[in-house]
Amino acid sequence: MQWTKVLGLGLGAAALLGLGIILGHFAIPKKANSPAPQDLDLAILETVMGQLDAHRIRENLRELSREPHLASSPRDEDLVQLLLQRWKDPGSGLDSAEASTYEVLLSFPSQEQPNVVDVVGPTGDIIHSCHRTEENVTGEQGGPDVVQPYAAYAPSGTPQGLLVYANQGAEEDFKELQTQGIKLEGTIALTRYGGVGRGAKAVNAAKHGVAGVLVYTDPADINDGLSSPNETFPNSWYLPPSGVERGSYYEYFGDPLTPYLPAVPSSFRVDLANVSGFPPIPTQPIGFQDARDLLCNLNGTLAPATWQGALGCRYRLGPGFRPDGDFPADSQVSVSVYNRLELRNSSNVLGIIRGAVEPDRYVLYGNHRDSWVHGAVDPSSGTAVLLELSRVLGTLLKKGTWRPRRSIVFASWGAEEFGLIGSTEFTEEFFNKLQERTVAYINVDISVFANATLRVQGTPPVQSVVFSATKEIRSPGPGDLSIYDNWIRYFNRSSPVYGLVPSLGSLGAGSDYAPFIHFLGISSMDIAYTYDRSKTSARIYPTYHTAFDTFDYMDKFLDPGFSSHQAVARTAGSVILRLSDSFFLPLKVSDYSETLRSFLQAAEQDLGALLEQHSISLGPLVTAVEKFEAEASALGQRISTLQKGSPDPLQVRMLNDQLMLLERTFLNPRAFPEERYYSHVLWAPRTGSVATFPGLSNACSRARDTASGSEAWAEVQRQLSIVVTALEGAAATLRPVADL
């Protein structure tokens, strides 16, 4: 066994030699000309900006919107394959691409029994029927794959009753009807879009005994009052009289059967009888030409001035029809809904570019794929941009010209229109991984509402990177303005730190950014081009969720030449490169200080006296905001100091993690037990009238008329403590990492 001793001595000597080499390597001072760490390459950025092609985006949109692609339909799955093909292309593809499938609960109208709305005479005969489909004005509205207008997740049923007009279906609207002496039990309520969410209209109606709900789009809210066929599409961008807005009436987001769990085979599913969040009564959307026939024949008291619209008559409240109208006075409205629930497979598609230095840090860029009909604007304008941006970056990748410092993940979400389902299931399945590793989420859903200006919604830390990107990109149209300079003309605010700057909107739950910001606490943004609000009162582009949202609609009216699509692609592309390639993450946490200070001032001015009456002090909140401001400023100074030198990459990595993780510190999953997925204490839904911390505002609104010592005032104190704790935790996160 002598050879074993020799081998052992040899291995020991080799180990000592290796250890000496390693120690020597780290003991030798590094030369001044050591390679600089990978950072944003301005030449690469300029190349990407120059290669993003408006014509290619246009052709992407033509293909994406060629046929209706309702979630889980054959055409939706065809587009899954198109994305995989593009992202696996040998010349312009990404490192990898894959599709994942979830089995989710969706809602569809019955093909055998279409939903119908009729006026029924005193003897039970049908004397008038609303249109079941939209008018086929361009040959694209009558195909077999065009889904009938319906309210997704509304229950089936056939209620019949006298018609009342309930404005936007808000709780106060139904209370106003009761104040007017109108008995709501067993009636059918005609409501208009706007004011409250779709599903809330049915929930509020049911509370007051209403049997069924109709919803329409008033021309005053979307068409600037125009309603005749020659004034609407295809002659202008306005909604034709037969246009009907489809949509999900589900209260929450994610798969209804698997809340907080991914909809995979192993997950527990809630019994259908116990699912919450569906409308409680049959509901059906109709076009404004049908709403005119009903509303302009109503009897009763004149509706308030703020309830009036643009249907060409004076709106009345009902109940029932007037005796000198088109229908007998005692006629009723019948609403027959035959929706069905189905388990369907829906796919997400992910395309990945692996980071060269920090592959475990992800910059996510996503949009949903499914639409209600052709969906040229919503969502295909965003997917057309996504495909062009991934093509340009993929080409550089395949040529070996570039690889990002951090990983970039492109995502095409499924079944968004039914309640952000694909993105929510993804965040549920990879919750811990995404929370630990995601730098930011960029959402581009509708990339172009119209072609006047950029519009960005986002959390405060992303403001700086968006400003930097838009200052370097020329705005479409005449003149030589940057996107930033054009943007500030339309949306601006006065900042105590920066002066006049473009204003970022806050993130609600209107698209796939919602689970990332509210559930995971990931800094997020949504980017689009939009219209000049001084020239239209439209609450959104007029053909939203209708069969008139087609390629020609976009090509002719919203963005001829596709220069606004190109501007969005350049903005999103610049933001992606800055987030994925910059040595120091371009997230500016001190920009949160302005938001917190404004929330604090609103609380002091509008709630301070009320809280003082109930012996509740805002002192701890003042101190917490001041702590955050001080730590955010100090962190900014440390970053500035390091940027002037040659910092250790590990030191920079630690600082970047502080920037990345700050948003997570504002999460408290028990802050809002009545809400689902909302745990961000700064951006949860605010129902109170004071523009301050939402939990505090909402609690004060509920407690205002109750006695001291009540549960409502205890909840105010709890919400105040939740906010203070979150701010103190955020301040602690910003301190030097060695400072425990």
Side-chain angles (χ1 to χ4, degrees):
M1 300 299 291
Q2 195 68 21
W3 62 271
T4 58
K5 294 182 180 179
V6 174
L7 179 61
L9 289 170
L11 289 172
L16 288 171
L17 177 62
L19 179 62
I21 292 172
I22 292 170
L23 291 173
H25 170 75
F26 285 101
I28 297 171
K30 300 296 180 290
K31 296 180 181 179
N33 61 353
S34 295
Q38 181 177 337
D39 205 347
L40 177 67
D41 187 329
L42 295 180
I44 290 292
L45 179 60
E46 185 176 353
T47 297
V48 171
M49 297 298 100
Q51 291 183 359
L52 291 166
D53 189 304
H55 176 72
R56 287 180 181 270
I57 297 173
R58 182 176 185 269
E59 292 309 304
N60 285 343
L61 184 63
R62 187 196 301 275
E63 175 60 24
L64 291 165
S65 61
R66 182 164 52 85
E67 299 175 33
H69 44 288
L70 191 64
S72 77
S73 67
R75 178 59 180 169
D76 182 36
E77 291 306 307
D78 288 345
L79 294 182
V80 169
Q81 297 307 313
L82 182 148
L83 284 153
L84 289 172
Q85 178 187 352
R86 296 281 187 95
W87 289 345
K88 292 182 178 181
D89 185 276
S92 60
L94 312 179
D95 285 324
S96 62
E98 61 181 24
S100 58
T101 301
Y102 299 98
E103 188 179 43
V104 299
L105 187 70
L106 304 182
S107 167
F108 302 98
S110 170
Q111 292 182 329
E112 297 76 26
Q113 281 187 295
N115 297 345
V116 293
V117 177
D118 299 316
V119 177
V120 179
T123 60
D125 53 324
I126 295 174
I127 56 178
H128 176 79
S129 294
C130 294
H131 295 79
R132 298 182 185 182
T133 60
E134 292 156 301
E135 185 181 357
N136 192 6
V137 299
T138 66
E140 299 164 290
Q141 291 76 40
D145 295 328
V146 175
V147 69
Q148 176 200 1
Y150 74 113
Y153 298 108
S156 59
T158 56
Q160 180 175 312
L162 296 175
L163 187 69
V164 296
Y165 171 52
N167 192 31
Q168 295 177 328
E171 175 66 17
E172 53 266 29
D173 294 333
F174 288 104
K175 287 182 178 178
E176 173 64 22
L177 292 179
Q178 290 180 320
T179 300
Q180 295 288 339
I182 296 173
K183 295 181 179 179
L184 295 173
E185 190 74 31
T187 60
I188 303 297
L190 176 62
T191 66
R192 61 204 270 185
Y193 279 116
V196 298
R198 299 184 193 101
K201 299 177 192 297
V203 171
N204 294 334
K207 289 178 186 176
H208 295 275
V210 173
V213 173
L214 300 175
V215 191
Y216 80 100
T217 301
D218 198 287
D221 301 327
I222 206 149
N223 274 12
D224 296 319
L226 302 177
S227 61
S228 66
N230 65 340
E231 296 173 315
T232 60
F233 183 74
N235 300 306
S236 78
W237 84 317
Y238 292 118
L239 179 67
S242 67
V244 185
E245 179 183 322
R246 299 151 179 81
S248 174
Y249 284 63
Y250 179 48
E251 181 181 354
Y252 306 116
F253 45 89
D255 172 45
L257 297 183
T258 58
Y260 294 104
L261 296 170
V264 295
S266 61
S267 287
F268 168 78
R269 282 171 167 77
V270 177
D271 188 278
L272 194 57
N274 297 325
V275 172
S276 60
F278 292 162
I281 54 178
T283 304
Q284 176 66 20
I286 59 175
F288 68 74
Q289 69 180 19
D290 290 317
R292 179 191 290 124
D293 292 336
L294 300 176
L295 190 47
C296 291
N297 281 288
L298 266 187
N299 200 11
T301 306
L302 200 65
T306 54
W307 291 28
Q308 297 296 324
L311 292 180
C313 64
R314 298 291 286 165
Y315 297 3
R316 295 184 177 274
L317 301 178
F321 297 110
R322 54 188 171 86
D324 59 341
D326 296 337
F327 315 125
D330 47 0
S331 298
Q332 296 186 341
V333 172
S334 170
V335 180
S336 299
V337 174
Y338 302 102
N339 295 345
R340 65 185 189 275
L341 296 169
E342 292 186 22
L343 283 173
R344 292 280 191 93
N345 288 330
S346 180
S347 301
N348 291 337
V349 189
L350 299 180
I352 300 167
I353 298 177
R354 190 177 62 258
V357 182
E358 299 180 73
D360 62 331
R361 291 292 178 262
Y362 312 146
V363 176
L364 268 65
Y365 175 95
N367 179 31
H368 70 101
R369 183 183 60 260
D370 63 305
S371 66
W372 287 110
V373 194
H374 293 87
V377 184
D378 181 11
S380 300
S381 63
T383 304
V385 166
L386 181 149
L387 284 172
E388 174 61 3
L389 187 50
S390 63
R391 179 194 69 83
V392 170
L393 295 181
T395 300
L396 293 176
L397 183 73
K398 293 299 185 183
K399 287 181 177 179
T401 307
W402 163 85
R403 179 174 290 280
R405 180 183 183 87
R406 302 177 186 90
S407 296
I408 298 172
V409 180
F410 292 100
S412 173
W413 311 117
E416 185 268 1
E417 295 292 7
F418 288 83
L420 318 182
I421 289 178
S423 55
T424 303
E425 300 315 300
F426 177 75
T427 57
E428 289 168 337
E429 184 170 13
F430 301 106
F431 180 91
N432 291 322
K433 185 177 183 179
L434 293 170
Q435 270 206 327
E436 291 168 0
R437 304 179 185 179
T438 305
V439 170
Y441 176 70
I442 303 159
N443 196 69
V444 180
D445 184 339
I446 299 172
S447 69
V448 176
F449 291 86
N451 59 4
T453 179
L454 188 72
R455 183 229 66 190
V456 179
Q457 298 168 298
T459 53
V462 308
Q463 173 182 269
S464 177
V465 67
V466 174
F467 285 178
S468 297
T470 53
K471 286 177 180 178
E472 304 298 324
I473 305 169
R474 185 180 173 278
S475 176
D480 198 30
L481 291 177
S482 68
I483 289 178
Y484 178 93
D485 291 331
N486 184 63
W487 180 16
I488 206 172
R489 295 164 60 203
Y490 294 92
F491 300 100
N492 59 67
R493 66 180 180 88
S494 180
S495 162
V497 178
Y498 306 111
L500 193 69
V501 294
S503 56
L504 269 66
S506 58
L507 295 171
S511 191
D512 290 299
Y513 51 74
F516 289 94
I517 179 60
H518 297 301
F519 185 41
L520 297 185
I522 291 169
S523 293
S524 301
M525 68 190 84
D526 184 77
I527 302 172
Y529 243 71
T530 192
Y531 40 82
D532 181 350
R533 295 189 182 275
S534 70
K535 294 182 178 179
T536 178
S537 60
R539 63 180 178 86
I540 197 168
Y541 72 97
T543 65
Y544 174 68
H545 285 190
T546 74
F548 305 107
D549 179 356
T550 63
F551 174 80
D552 285 341
Y553 179 78
M554 172 66 81
D555 194 37
K556 187 175 180 181
F557 297 111
L558 300 193
D559 192 23
F562 280 67
S563 60
S564 295
H565 281 80
Q566 185 182 49
V568 171
R570 286 173 170 167
T571 301
S574 180
V575 168
I576 287 173
L577 286 173
R578 291 168 190 272
L579 288 170
S580 63
D581 272 346
S582 297
F583 186 35
F584 288 85
L585 276 179
L587 298 174
K588 196 166 185 179
V589 296
S590 60
D591 285 343
Y592 244 128
S593 297
E594 279 192 59
T595 299
L596 298 179
R597 178 59 60 176
S598 70
F599 281 7
L600 175 61
Q601 289 173 346
E604 290 176 323
Q605 292 169 10
D606 299 329
L607 299 176
L610 176 66
L611 292 171
E612 193 173 318
Q613 291 173 16
H614 295 271
S615 303
I616 299 174
S617 172
L618 286 174
L621 183 60
V622 172
T623 302
V625 170
E626 290 173 347
K627 280 183 183 178
F628 180 90
E629 290 171 333
E631 295 299 343
S633 177
L635 178 63
Q637 291 172 0
R638 290 199 299 276
I639 291 173
S640 295
T641 300
L642 283 174
Q643 286 175 327
K644 295 172 185 175
S646 300
D648 182 339
L650 182 58
Q651 196 174 14
V652 175
R653 165 86 169 202
M654 289 189 293
L655 276 171
N656 284 342
D657 279 356
Q658 289 177 278
L659 301 176
M660 179 183 78
L661 295 173
L662 172 69
E663 204 81 61
R664 322 290 199 265
T665 65
F666 296 120
L667 297 183
N668 185 323
R670 299 194 177 192
F672 313 106
E674 73 281 5
E675 301 284 356
R676 187 176 291 179
Y677 296 106
Y678 289 105
S679 54
H680 200 299
V681 302
L682 303 182
W683 305 119
R686 181 172 56 81
T687 57
S689 59
V690 180
T692 184
F693 304 96
L696 181 62
S697 179
N698 299 347
C700 284
S701 180
R702 290 189 292 264
R704 189 176 294 272
D705 297 324
T706 67
S708 292
S710 67
E711 289 187 10
W713 281 108
E715 177 62 15
V716 171
Q717 292 177 311
R718 190 180 83 92
Q719 288 295 337
L720 185 59
S721 296
I722 285 170
V723 172
V724 169
T725 300
L727 296 186
E728 289 178 340
T733 297
L734 299 182
R735 294 189 194 110
V737 292
D739 181 2
L740 301 179

